[in-house]
Amino acid sequence: MTTAPPAATPRALPALLVPSPTSSPRPQAPGLPPVRRTPLVVSGLLATALTAYVWSVHGAKPGVLLLLGLGLGVALFHSRFGFTSAWRQFIAVGNGAGLRAHTLLLGTTATLFALIIGTSTGLFGAQPAPSAGPIGAGLAVGSVLFAVGMQLGGACASGTLFAVGSGQTSVLLTLGGFIGGATLAAWQFDLWKDLPAWEPVILSDHIGWFGSWAVTIAALLLVVLATRLVQARRNPPPLGAVPSARTAAVRAIRGSWPLAAGALALALLGAGVLLVSGGAWGITSAFSLWGSELVGALGGHPENWAWWKQPGNADALAGPVLADKNSLTDIGIMIGAGMAAALGGTWALHRGIPWRTAVASALGGVLMGIGARLAGGCNIGAYLAGIASGSLSGWMWGLFALAGTWLGLKLRPLFGLGNPKPGDGVC
């Protein structure tokens, strides 16, 4: 008598591809409300007119940067790609889905940066260069302050822009505080410019671009593993669902996109900024410029500040705002997010903001503005661009930002702001 061999069992998915556990299934996304026609027409006309003006007055390069900014705004809104919420969910309840989306964005951007910078490929005569900052007290203090500000203000640098574009009035206060804080830090540059620091460390200078890329990808895989282990231990509530369409074709136009799709779109558009301008996508230097321009319009003399006497900064202050790289992408993000929110039917002005929320929004913006200047950038210019460039400063920014997030969560209840709880239905 012969025995039949045991039936083959299906091969298990690789551990990194198995969904991380949550305390309950993610709720079904509600349907999309109707298109908001008036905001859509206004934002569409504004995008068209501004692009035509920039292209005709300042040339093709600024025009392309504005278009890239519009695309970034669309991608940020449709995917609701968050940095503030991702860190808050991980620290508060252990849900690492947002941080794992960060690793996809960082890894894809690092791959594209290695190809572009490693081969010296640029458009419009641009010479692409990595982003890196000194490692010292300014980085540590600035990134902690920035993270505290994110949790109080309700958004990061990119999140502030796309939230303002989609009509969130409370975040408009965050943007005002952000501009004020960044301008204040530029005005008082002499007070903090000599903080102790080591020179920037860029991996490609020591192990080449392939080695830098390989180390970065390996480190990001460790982050993925760590977040999965934490999530398995803490079994957090799932992420909330945002309004969405039932078919993929409609979702592509009206939202919402999966976080992974948003990460890939942002990486491609960010690489486009590097190709066109030679520098990585950034946000907060434009806030210092806008605030300083306002000071000048009111009779002040920002051109006498030490910050604006720096070689690169002096050129930005002397030139038109609509020729400044970060100003163009920032403005594009707000308009692009407005179009996306109107198409998705969710564009709305929020009224009746509680006074404590208003104070937290403004204070959070001020802290982010100061923190970004001290740390040499924000979650985009320092964290995303730094890690993608193989810079140690980018990793240090992220670690200090996690610490600042913990502190920010402790402060949120003082302003009537809630934190995710393990027993919540969604976080």
Side-chain angles (χ1 to χ4, degrees):
M1 179 176 177
T2 59
T3 303
T9 57
R11 182 175 294 179
L13 287 172
L16 289 179
L17 298 181
V18 176
S20 294
T22 54
S23 59
S24 62
R26 188 176 187 183
Q28 186 175 4
L32 286 170
V35 173
R36 295 295 308 276
R37 298 183 184 279
T38 299
L40 178 60
V41 170
V42 171
S43 57
L45 290 174
L46 185 57
T48 303
L50 189 59
T51 301
Y53 174 81
V54 169
W55 206 291
S56 62
V57 174
H58 300 295
K61 179 177 176 180
V64 172
L65 287 170
L66 179 59
L67 290 175
L68 288 168
L70 292 169
L72 287 165
V74 171
L76 283 165
F77 180 82
H78 276 321
S79 62
R80 270 65 163 193
F81 199 93
F83 294 82
T84 304
S85 57
W87 281 313
R88 178 164 62 241
Q89 290 152 3
F90 183 69
I91 294 296
V93 294
N95 193 319
L99 283 185
R100 289 191 289 277
H102 288 193
T103 64
L104 178 59
L105 170 61
L106 290 162
T108 307
T109 305
T111 302
L112 295 172
F113 273 30
L115 292 172
I116 293 169
I117 304 175
T119 59
S120 298
T121 302
L123 302 176
F124 301 103
Q127 297 294 321
S131 294
I135 302 168
L139 174 65
V141 174
S143 50
V144 169
L145 285 177
F146 190 94
V148 172
M150 283 195 301
Q151 299 307 327
L152 296 183
C156 58
S158 53
T160 296
L161 293 174
F162 89 72
V164 167
S166 60
Q168 297 188 35
T169 315
S170 63
V171 184
L172 186 61
L173 297 173
T174 304
L175 178 59
F178 212 146
I179 294 170
T183 306
L184 176 63
W187 174 43
Q188 294 298 322
F189 180 54
D190 284 328
L191 293 180
W192 55 270
K193 67 178 181 179
D194 294 322
L195 290 173
W198 288 283
E199 291 296 315
V201 177
I202 303 176
L203 290 176
S204 61
D205 291 342
H206 305 278
I207 55 176
W209 274 106
F210 178 78
S212 173
W213 172 83
V215 170
T216 299
I217 297 301
L220 291 172
L221 289 174
L222 289 176
V223 172
V224 171
L225 179 60
T227 63
R228 291 180 62 86
L229 291 174
V230 170
Q231 186 161 335
R233 178 183 293 272
R234 299 183 66 179
N235 197 31
L239 300 181
V242 297
S244 185
R246 301 304 178 204
T247 63
V250 178
R251 280 200 302 272
I253 299 172
R254 298 194 61 201
S256 63
W257 299 352
L259 281 175
L264 295 174
L266 292 173
L268 289 169
L269 291 164
V273 174
L274 177 66
L275 270 172
V276 170
S277 69
W281 173 28
I283 289 177
T284 58
S285 67
F287 296 164
S288 297
L289 176 61
W290 299 353
S292 298
E293 292 282 5
L294 178 60
V295 170
L298 295 175
H301 296 281
E303 69 276 4
N304 295 329
W305 301 352
W307 173 262
W308 293 115
K309 291 183 178 180
Q310 305 295 305
N313 296 344
D315 294 339
L317 184 65
V321 169
L322 289 179
D324 174 64
K325 176 187 73 123
N326 289 348
S327 294
L328 288 164
T329 52
D330 285 0
I331 294 169
I333 288 170
M334 289 188 282
I335 299 174
M339 290 191 294
L343 273 172
T346 59
W347 194 98
L349 291 176
H350 296 190
R351 298 179 176 87
I353 305 169
W355 71 267
R356 286 197 294 174
T357 301
V359 171
S361 297
L363 176 60
V366 170
L367 292 176
M368 284 194 287
I370 295 173
R373 290 285 64 78
L374 290 176
C378 61
N379 57 295
I380 299 299
Y383 172 64
L384 170 59
I387 291 178
S389 297
S391 168
L392 183 58
S393 63
W395 288 102
M396 299 302 295
W397 195 101
L399 290 174
F400 285 119
L402 283 175
T405 297
W406 178 87
L407 179 57
L409 294 182
K410 299 296 182 183
L411 295 176
R412 279 173 62 87
L414 299 178
F415 298 91
L417 302 173
N419 291 322
K421 299 291 191 300
D424 290 343
V426 295
C427 67

